[in-house]
Amino acid sequence: VSGKTSPLAKDRLIKHAVMMHSMESLEYATYVTIEHIALGCAARGVAKVARAFMAEEQEMAEWVEEQIPILVDNVTEDITIR
C-alpha cells in the first residue's frame, strides 16, 4: 500500500488479504484431499498434478501471509499519526 489511501480503504485491503489467505488455504486443503483420493485409486498422474497445485497454493498463501503485517502496519501508522 503506497501513496494516499484512506484508513477505510486500507481496512478493506486487510480484509481482502485475510480472505485471500483463507481461500488459498481452502484450495490447498482441496488438493491435499484430491491427492489422497488419487493415491488410494492408484491414479498417480492425478496425484502428481494435485501436488503441483498444492505447491502453488501454499506459495501464494505464504506470500499473502507476508503482506498482512505490512498492511496492518500501514493502517496503524495512519491511526497513530492522526
Side-chain angles (χ1 to χ4, degrees):
V1 179
S2 62
K4 293 201 177 226
T5 307
S6 74
L8 181 59
K10 288 181 181 180
D11 179 59
R12 287 185 183 142
L13 288 173
I14 293 168
K15 288 177 184 176
H16 181 72
V18 170
M19 288 178 13
M20 280 182 60
H21 188 274
S22 297
M23 191 64 188
E24 296 301 330
S25 297
L26 175 63
E27 290 173 355
Y28 176 82
T30 300
Y31 289 119
V32 168
T33 303
I34 292 169
E35 179 196 32
H36 185 75
I37 292 168
L39 290 173
C41 297
R44 298 196 190 290
V46 173
K48 182 179 178 181
V49 171
R51 270 193 304 279
F53 282 118
M54 284 167 50
E56 289 177 18
E57 300 304 336
Q58 186 172 22
E59 183 178 319
M60 186 59 162
E62 289 171 359
W63 180 83
V64 172
E65 188 173 334
E66 292 170 2
Q67 303 312 304
I68 292 172
I70 296 167
L71 293 169
V72 170
D73 288 347
N74 284 330
V75 170
T76 56
E77 283 176 18
D78 278 355
I79 293 169
T80 305
I81 292 171
R82 292 173 191 245

